[in-house]
Amino acid sequence: MSPIAIKIFLAIACAGHILCCFCDRAITYTPNGRFGFNDLNDNERLAALFEGSSKKRQMFSILGGILALAMTSLGYVALCSYVASYSAACGIVLLVSFAPFIVAGAAHHVFCGAVEWFYIRLGRTEEARKVIVEFFKKTLPAMYVCFIGLMIFAVTLFVAIITGTTGLPRWACVFNVLPMFIVILPFRLVGSFNIASAAQFLGLFIVFCAI
């Protein structure tokens, strides 16, 4: 992959994670407050949170999230291609971990939006709450696959850069979702993973422009 294509794909991936962050916020902040997973245990509180919601926010999150993850996939492919040009083994690990991460991540994003959409559509009743809780629990494996794939990708990329395997300066290893996520985690921001990922791709974009 050409250096120009890598830079373009990194920039698109950064924009994709920013969009995905807005999609996360769309299903976290309701017209009546911030939704948390603990709210799933109390239908009275859950129904109050989603009172007056039109389901548009959930649909925006679902469709926007799919578009956003398609955009981010370009950045991950660019990194796979770049690292593979220096180390075929590292490139293969990145590619193998990236595929389930993106596919499972897209599925999990759809599931989260669908849980809220169906709860509102079914009238915010106790029975509706039981249905969405059951659905959410049964689809949790998608989230686990997503984060396992992400962890493998992030660690492999970090090691490849800090060991000098790639042509990037070793200090560029800080532009990685794991250290970025650890830094912002205490702030408990909505969409922390996407904020950290956007920072990762923005930082790497600047590095590639500078070298």
Side-chain angles (χ1 to χ4, degrees):
M1 186 178 293
S2 70
I4 294 178
I6 290 176
K7 295 171 188 175
I8 292 173
F9 283 7
L10 293 178
I12 293 174
C14 178
H17 276 296
I18 292 173
L19 173 58
C20 201
C21 183
F22 279 106
C23 293
D24 286 344
R25 296 176 69 86
I27 57 175
T28 302
Y29 290 104
T30 75
N32 304 296
R34 178 171 173 170
F35 167 74
F37 289 120
N38 289 335
D39 295 322
L40 292 172
N41 299 319
D42 185 342
N43 192 61
E44 184 177 345
R45 187 169 58 190
L46 192 63
L49 275 174
F50 288 101
E51 183 177 1
S53 183
S54 65
K55 304 188 296 294
K56 291 181 180 179
R57 297 169 67 90
Q58 289 71 28
M59 195 54 64
F60 163 75
S61 179
I62 292 172
L63 299 179
I66 293 173
L67 172 62
L69 287 170
M71 293 169 65
T72 64
S73 67
L74 296 177
Y76 292 102
V77 168
L79 291 177
C80 289
S81 175
Y82 174 75
V83 173
S85 67
Y86 291 90
S87 170
C90 287
I92 291 173
V93 174
L94 290 178
L95 184 62
V96 170
S97 60
F98 146 74
F101 155 59
I102 288 293
V103 174
H108 179 63
H109 202 94
V110 171
F111 294 152
C112 288
V115 161
E116 292 189 8
W117 192 93
F118 279 107
Y119 178 70
I120 299 168
R121 180 66 180 81
L122 295 173
R124 297 180 291 117
T125 64
E126 173 62 19
E127 183 61 27
R129 186 195 69 82
K130 291 179 180 178
V131 169
I132 65 167
V133 168
E134 179 183 359
F135 177 80
F136 181 74
K137 289 180 178 179
K138 289 185 176 180
T139 57
L140 272 179
M143 181 185 73
Y144 299 142
V145 171
C146 172
F147 281 102
I148 290 172
L150 170 65
M151 287 289 291
I152 295 173
F153 187 99
V155 170
T156 303
L157 180 63
F158 184 88
V159 171
I161 295 176
I162 201 170
T163 58
T165 301
T166 71
L168 296 175
R170 295 175 191 268
W171 54 261
C173 67
V174 300
F175 297 120
N176 185 290
V177 66
L178 290 184
M180 295 285 185
F181 183 74
I182 291 172
V183 169
I184 67 175
L185 184 61
F187 298 99
R188 302 177 64 86
L189 300 174
V190 175
S192 295
F193 159 69
N194 282 300
I195 295 172
S197 297
Q200 167 189 267
F201 282 112
L202 176 60
L204 290 175
F205 171 78
I206 294 173
V207 171
F208 272 95
C209 287
I211 62 176

